Amino acid sequence: MTLGELAQRFNLTLSGDAQRSVSGLATLGGAGPDQVSFIASRKYLEQLADTAAAAVLIHPDFADQCPVDTLVTEDPYLAFARMTSLFDRSSRTAVGVHPAAVVSAEAEVADSVRIAANAVVEAGAVIGEGVVIGANAYVGAGSRIGANTCLNPGVIVYHDVWLGARCIVHSTAVLGSDGFGFAPGPEGWEKIHQLGGLRIGDDVEIGAGTTIDRGALEHTVIEDGVIIDNQVHIAHNCRIGKNTAIAGCTGMAGSTIIGANCTVAGAVALSGHIEICDGVHITGMSMVTRSITEPGVYSSGVPASPNREWRKNAVRFSQLDGMHKRLAAIEKGSAP
Amino acid sequence: MTLGELAQRFNLTLSGDAQRSVSGLATLGGAGPDQVSFIASRKYLEQLADTAAAAVLIHPDFADQCPVDTLVTEDPYLAFARMTSLFDRSSRTAVGVHPAAVVSAEAEVADSVRIAANAVVEAGAVIGEGVVIGANAYVGAGSRIGANTCLNPGVIVYHDVWLGARCIVHSTAVLGSDGFGFAPGPEGWEKIHQLGGLRIGDDVEIGAGTTIDRGALEHTVIEDGVIIDNQVHIAHNCRIGKNTAIAGCTGMAGSTIIGANCTVAGAVALSGHIEICDGVHITGMSMVTRSITEPGVYSSGVPASPNREWRKNAVRFSQLDGMHKRLAAIEKGSAP
Amino acid sequence: MTLGELAQRFNLTLSGDAQRSVSGLATLGGAGPDQVSFIASRKYLEQLADTAAAAVLIHPDFADQCPVDTLVTEDPYLAFARMTSLFDRSSRTAVGVHPAAVVSAEAEVADSVRIAANAVVEAGAVIGEGVVIGANAYVGAGSRIGANTCLNPGVIVYHDVWLGARCIVHSTAVLGSDGFGFAPGPEGWEKIHQLGGLRIGDDVEIGAGTTIDRGALEHTVIEDGVIIDNQVHIAHNCRIGKNTAIAGCTGMAGSTIIGANCTVAGAVALSGHIEICDGVHITGMSMVTRSITEPGVYSSGVPASPNREWRKNAVRFSQLDGMHKRLAAIEKGSAP
């Protein structure tokens, strides 16, 4: 790849040597003379001065401060994101069905699929054009995998789960497992068989170890463009709106609805049967127990402090209501 | 299935057309004229008036408010739970051992098992009557899977793990992995090989992505009727009492004991070496650091609020002990 | 094994019957007359008096209080840890490549490997001497597994992931999945392909269900001797220093650096782009949002209390800043 080719392919304005050949991408500090770097924010301007990159993706406002060739664009970070696809060296499964895969004769499988060794596809599954099913992955009966979607090795898709086009699912994610539904009976918990399915839109990414349960009666729904990080737990009957992002280790209880264009940071816990409107941003480790009806940023949790201080303050937390009453008594002139 | 057949099978009092045929279950709002619905709580009475269901599972107190046929029972939710098993369309693995499964000749396997493609069963394992071992699942040496237990695709059972009868284990759950045991040595951590096993009773359900470690010397124990949701972490030497329920993302450190008939909500963290008595209910995201000796409801955590307000309050948390002292000084008349 | 052999092998001073034969290890309370036990702390001295063990690993200071034979050492817990390896009965995969494994002809595989049924090894992978690759495990293209490392069944190693020697990785752990990197674009999130790898040192243990993402441009790094429990999430570009221990359910956001010899307890959440210095100990369920530059113990979170009390105190938390102002007003003599 030359700088000239990159400029043309990604619609960038090159100022520099169009014939210069580059082999990869790197940070400003880490880039060598055959790599392209990028500057996504003003706070990296200091590092810009010392970069050894072949060229830098840069906003027009900063272009004149760049000591090396520039690839100018209004959104350098977006251009960088798009450029990463050129340099991805991840494993490519061969076209076709590996002889060690087990694909039901009653599955409907497009010609251009790539199904790896020891993958299993059950009867009634529909596998679209260009789909990749990694080694040891599983697709249950009647599930549908949309065109160009990639299931990495070890992904498990239960029955009656539909994924749209161009999704990426990372290893050991489980899609369509039973929701946690039980009725108390005279002899213990009585299982509520989970009869709903799971419907996932187009362009969804799902992280490693994430689990999304099927619905109890209706479907659990993940809309188009949603991105979900690792080890997220989404319970039955949840619905996640378009382009919402959910970071690692977050858990949502059943029947909770999150709107579009939300960001939920890591390690957040959301109660069940609540509704978060569009455009809500929840910071890390928050505990969300009620519906949120106004866009904005919401938070809870208290940052760590030295253990000695924390011990004292944590004890006072348990006395807070008492402190409040004592304060009110003083204000009324009645204390002590 | 006709309403008459349902009434007879589940011991319900039908008021309506016994010949009417139904094909499934649905919510009051979602049910069409060939589906049965249910009303589990007074708060859904409004939706009852408009239901288009063929019939509704209903308590005798509300039966006269139902616009459609009724299937009357003292516990409609329990009847609904039982009825779900009729309409479960999940994949059924064929009876026998799939030719692509790898089952040791030294395993003891009942005739009625269903072992799917690419499952692996090691020497000395004992697989009971009617057991289902899903695709790509693994059963280690000397482990025992009780009658009619189902391991979904991708479940991993280490060696010396016993499961009772009628358990359901969801995909990528790991049973019997090593506990996190290390002794500090002069050159770093020295592994304590985990010599205990894992013993799981009858009628236990274990969610996707849940991990239960084997014991260090003695066994980790899950008693009969326990239900565990997704991504729960149970460390070595824990013991969970009969019919206790644990919701998603909860983690328990080592040697902690939970009694019978407890409910632990989602995202709870329990310290190690503590004991929770029978009949304790812990609300979501609580941090449990001490033993609990009285039944009841226990909680911690602070719900999320708008970020601006939270920031101010979180700072004050770090000053709580100081505030307490200032308050005491005022009360003594010695402030400021 | 006789007591004499144990004493010799582990460099212990035996006081008792060197010919006595033992078959295992047990706790002081649980040990029978053919088992060795240990006393790691003064607080178990009471149990020592009643032990039925064949012999006890014991510090010289307590040896005269032991009613049975003694194996004396300055560090009984460390001696116990080392002795556990003798009694480990876990499955041993046979040497060689199982006929149902799928190993690329372009992988470099040492003669002494043990590769189990249905494992998959891709082209360019390098599998060292004595490596164990469990059933249904996966090693991606170009990844390197160091000598005597063990991948348990169902472990997933993506491409370009290097593990050192003598590591143990538990089932369903995922190494080298994509980091959660996306740039906002006009039509939704634009994926940043994750071009970095993952580098793991020697003697690292990684728990079941743990996920460690590859780097975005540079590598994610886990140094020698690190021990990581189950269901830990380590995001892209993190770096964990030598001999640090991380307990279950802890999550770290991207680019966070943890120094050497730290302990991070369970269910901790660490923000991204922060740095924790060497020798830091973080207690369970803490929320770490800023860098820590001094060794020591850090904490946050409030322990659970009865729900009734908690409700009142949690409400007061949301009024904390107001309480602080009211207190200040009183101190100034201006209230109410």
Side-chain angles (χ1 to χ4, degrees):
Chain A
M1 274 281 162
T2 64
L3 292 182
E5 285 164 342
L6 289 177
Q8 188 171 15
R9 184 191 278 237
F10 294 102
N11 198 21
L12 310 162
T13 305
L14 171 66
S15 171
D17 177 4
Q19 302 310 318
R20 186 161 183 172
S21 146
V22 291
S23 66
L25 298 167
T27 58
L28 284 173
D34 63 341
Q35 291 175 307
V36 172
S37 191
F38 67 101
I39 177 161
S41 141
R42 182 182 298 269
K43 69 181 171 190
Y44 297 108
L45 277 176
E46 262 181 60
Q47 292 177 38
L48 181 63
D50 299 323
T51 193
V56 176
L57 289 158
I58 198 162
H59 189 273
D61 290 356
F62 308 139
D64 58 356
Q65 298 177 50
C66 187
V68 298
D69 290 356
T70 55
L71 290 158
V72 177
T73 166
E74 289 293 321
D75 193 340
Y77 193 53
L78 182 61
F80 160 69
R82 288 175 173 160
M83 211 172 273
T84 56
S85 68
L86 286 187
F87 300 102
D88 193 339
R89 298 170 301 153
S90 54
S91 314
R92 280 297 270 172
T93 303
V95 173
V97 177
H98 191 284
V102 177
V103 177
S104 167
E106 295 161 63
E108 188 181 314
V109 179
D111 288 341
S112 55
V113 296
R114 301 161 183 267
I115 301 186
N118 296 339
V120 175
V121 177
E122 300 278 17
V126 179
I127 313 296
E129 294 292 345
V131 164
V132 178
I133 300 184
N136 297 328
Y138 173 83
V139 179
S143 287
R144 294 161 173 264
I145 313 296
N148 299 310
T149 280
C150 170
L151 309 183
N152 277 285
V155 165
I156 306 286
V157 178
Y158 277 61
H159 64 285
D160 191 18
V161 171
W162 297 9
L163 282 105
R166 296 174 304 278
C167 296
I168 297 172
V169 186
H170 285 284
S171 292
T172 75
V174 177
L175 307 180
S177 39
D178 280 357
F180 195 57
F182 297 85
E187 284 156 34
W189 298 103
E190 194 86 27
K191 182 175 177 67
I192 299 172
H193 292 257
Q194 302 289 298
L195 308 179
L198 168 59
R199 297 293 177 263
I200 296 174
D202 297 331
D203 301 298
V204 168
E205 183 152 342
I206 296 171
T210 283
T211 55
I212 309 180
D213 283 345
R214 63 194 314 104
L217 290 170
E218 294 167 1
H219 300 315
T220 302
V221 177
I222 311 292
E223 295 185 3
D224 293 346
V226 168
I227 54 175
I228 302 174
D229 196 1
N230 294 352
Q231 296 193 44
V232 170
H233 162 58
I234 299 179
H236 54 180
N237 299 106
C238 286
R239 175 180 282 268
I240 314 286
K242 199 171 171 180
N243 291 338
T244 280
I246 303 180
C249 304
T250 281
M252 297 174 58
S255 299
T256 276
I257 294 172
I258 299 187
N261 302 308
C262 294
T263 56
V264 182
V268 168
L270 295 111
S271 295
H273 296 275
I274 62 175
E275 194 163 343
I276 310 298
C277 69
D278 294 353
V280 167
H281 306 281
I282 302 175
T283 60
M285 222 182 184
S286 292
M287 170 181 172
V288 183
T289 58
R290 272 168 292 211
S291 291
I292 296 179
T293 56
E294 294 291 323
V297 182
Y298 295 81
S299 306
S300 68
V302 175
S305 54
N307 179 271
R308 225 178 125 85
E309 294 170 27
W310 167 76
R311 278 175 181 277
K312 290 190 237 168
N313 292 320
V315 166
R316 297 310 178 199
F317 182 90
S318 68
Q319 303 166 345
L320 256 186
D321 190 53
M323 282 173 64
H324 186 268
K325 287 186 178 130
R326 287 156 61 191
L327 188 58
I330 294 168
E331 287 169 335
K332 280 193 200 147
S334 60
Chain B
M1 273 283 162
T2 63
L3 293 182
E5 287 164 342
L6 290 177
Q8 189 171 16
R9 184 191 278 237
F10 294 102
N11 199 21
L12 309 162
T13 307
L14 171 65
S15 171
D17 177 4
Q19 302 311 317
R20 187 162 184 172
S21 147
V22 290
S23 66
L25 298 167
T27 58
L28 284 173
D34 62 341
Q35 291 175 307
V36 171
S37 191
F38 67 101
I39 177 161
S41 143
R42 182 182 298 269
K43 70 180 170 190
Y44 296 108
L45 278 176
E46 261 181 62
Q47 293 177 39
L48 180 63
D50 299 322
T51 194
V56 175
L57 289 158
I58 197 162
H59 189 274
D61 289 356
F62 308 140
D64 58 356
Q65 298 178 49
C66 188
V68 297
D69 289 358
T70 55
L71 290 158
V72 177
T73 166
E74 289 293 320
D75 193 340
Y77 193 54
L78 182 61
F80 160 69
R82 289 175 172 159
M83 210 172 272
T84 57
S85 68
L86 287 187
F87 299 102
D88 193 337
R89 297 169 302 151
S90 54
S91 314
R92 279 298 271 173
T93 302
V95 173
V97 177
H98 191 284
V102 177
V103 177
S104 167
E106 295 162 64
E108 189 182 314
V109 179
D111 288 342
S112 56
V113 297
R114 300 162 183 266
I115 301 185
N118 297 339
V120 174
V121 177
E122 299 278 18
V126 179
I127 313 296
E129 295 291 344
V131 164
V132 178
I133 299 183
N136 298 328
Y138 173 84
V139 178
S143 288
R144 292 160 174 265
I145 313 296
N148 299 310
T149 280
C150 170
L151 309 182
N152 278 285
V155 165
I156 306 286
V157 178
Y158 277 62
H159 63 285
D160 191 20
V161 171
W162 297 9
L163 283 105
R166 297 174 303 279
C167 296
I168 297 172
V169 186
H170 285 283
S171 293
T172 75
V174 177
L175 308 181
S177 39
D178 280 356
F180 195 58
F182 298 85
E187 284 155 35
W189 297 104
E190 195 86 27
K191 181 175 178 68
I192 299 172
H193 293 257
Q194 302 288 298
L195 308 179
L198 169 59
R199 297 293 177 264
I200 297 174
D202 297 331
D203 301 298
V204 169
E205 183 152 341
I206 296 171
T210 283
T211 56
I212 309 181
D213 284 345
R214 62 194 316 103
L217 290 170
E218 295 167 0
H219 300 314
T220 303
V221 178
I222 311 293
E223 297 186 1
D224 294 346
V226 168
I227 54 175
I228 302 173
D229 196 0
N230 295 353
Q231 297 193 42
V232 170
H233 163 58
I234 298 178
H236 54 181
N237 300 106
C238 286
R239 176 180 282 268
I240 315 286
K242 200 172 170 179
N243 291 339
T244 280
I246 302 180
C249 304
T250 281
M252 297 173 60
S255 299
T256 276
I257 295 173
I258 299 187
N261 301 309
C262 294
T263 55
V264 182
V268 168
L270 295 110
S271 294
H273 297 274
I274 62 175
E275 193 163 343
I276 310 300
C277 69
D278 294 353
V280 166
H281 306 282
I282 301 175
T283 60
M285 222 182 184
S286 292
M287 170 180 171
V288 183
T289 58
R290 272 168 291 211
S291 291
I292 296 178
T293 56
E294 294 292 323
V297 183
Y298 294 82
S299 306
S300 70
V302 176
S305 53
N307 179 270
R308 225 179 124 86
E309 294 170 26
W310 167 76
R311 278 176 181 276
K312 289 190 237 168
N313 292 320
V315 166
R316 297 311 178 199
F317 182 90
S318 69
Q319 303 166 347
L320 256 185
D321 191 53
M323 282 173 65
H324 187 269
K325 288 185 179 132
R326 288 158 59 191
L327 189 57
I330 294 168
E331 287 170 337
K332 281 194 200 145
S334 61
Chain C
M1 274 281 163
T2 63
L3 291 181
E5 287 165 341
L6 289 177
Q8 189 171 16
R9 183 191 280 238
F10 294 103
N11 198 22
L12 310 162
T13 307
L14 172 65
S15 171
D17 177 4
Q19 303 310 318
R20 186 161 184 173
S21 146
V22 291
S23 66
L25 298 168
T27 58
L28 284 173
D34 63 340
Q35 291 175 308
V36 172
S37 191
F38 67 101
I39 176 161
S41 143
R42 182 182 297 269
K43 69 181 171 190
Y44 297 107
L45 278 176
E46 261 182 60
Q47 292 177 38
L48 181 62
D50 299 322
T51 193
V56 175
L57 289 158
I58 197 163
H59 190 273
D61 289 357
F62 307 140
D64 58 356
Q65 298 178 50
C66 187
V68 298
D69 289 358
T70 54
L71 290 159
V72 177
T73 166
E74 289 294 321
D75 193 339
Y77 193 53
L78 183 61
F80 159 69
R82 289 175 174 160
M83 210 173 273
T84 57
S85 68
L86 287 187
F87 300 101
D88 194 338
R89 297 169 302 151
S90 54
S91 314
R92 279 299 270 174
T93 303
V95 173
V97 177
H98 192 284
V102 178
V103 177
S104 167
E106 294 161 65
E108 187 181 317
V109 179
D111 288 341
S112 56
V113 296
R114 300 161 183 266
I115 302 185
N118 296 338
V120 175
V121 177
E122 299 278 18
V126 179
I127 313 296
E129 294 292 344
V131 164
V132 178
I133 300 184
N136 297 328
Y138 173 83
V139 179
S143 288
R144 293 160 173 265
I145 313 296
N148 299 311
T149 280
C150 170
L151 308 182
N152 277 284
V155 165
I156 306 286
V157 178
Y158 277 62
H159 63 285
D160 190 19
V161 172
W162 297 9
L163 282 105
R166 297 173 304 279
C167 296
I168 297 171
V169 185
H170 285 284
S171 293
T172 75
V174 177
L175 308 181
S177 39
D178 281 356
F180 195 57
F182 298 85
E187 283 155 35
W189 298 103
E190 195 87 26
K191 180 175 178 68
I192 299 172
H193 293 257
Q194 302 289 298
L195 308 179
L198 169 58
R199 297 294 177 263
I200 297 174
D202 297 332
D203 301 299
V204 169
E205 183 152 341
I206 296 171
T210 282
T211 56
I212 309 181
D213 284 344
R214 63 194 315 104
L217 290 170
E218 295 167 0
H219 300 316
T220 303
V221 177
I222 311 293
E223 296 185 2
D224 294 346
V226 168
I227 53 174
I228 302 174
D229 196 0
N230 295 353
Q231 297 193 45
V232 170
H233 162 58
I234 298 179
H236 54 180
N237 299 107
C238 286
R239 175 180 282 268
I240 315 286
K242 200 171 169 180
N243 291 338
T244 280
I246 303 180
C249 303
T250 281
M252 297 174 59
S255 299
T256 276
I257 295 172
I258 299 187
N261 300 310
C262 294
T263 56
V264 182
V268 168
L270 294 110
S271 293
H273 297 275
I274 62 175
E275 193 163 342
I276 310 299
C277 69
D278 294 353
V280 167
H281 306 281
I282 302 175
T283 60
M285 221 182 186
S286 292
M287 171 181 171
V288 182
T289 58
R290 273 169 290 212
S291 291
I292 296 179
T293 57
E294 293 293 322
V297 182
Y298 295 81
S299 306
S300 68
V302 175
S305 53
N307 179 269
R308 226 179 123 84
E309 295 170 25
W310 167 76
R311 279 175 181 277
K312 290 190 236 168
N313 292 321
V315 165
R316 297 310 177 199
F317 181 90
S318 69
Q319 302 166 347
L320 256 186
D321 190 53
M323 282 173 65
H324 187 268
K325 286 184 179 130
R326 288 157 60 190
L327 188 57
I330 294 168
E331 287 170 336
K332 280 193 202 149
S334 61

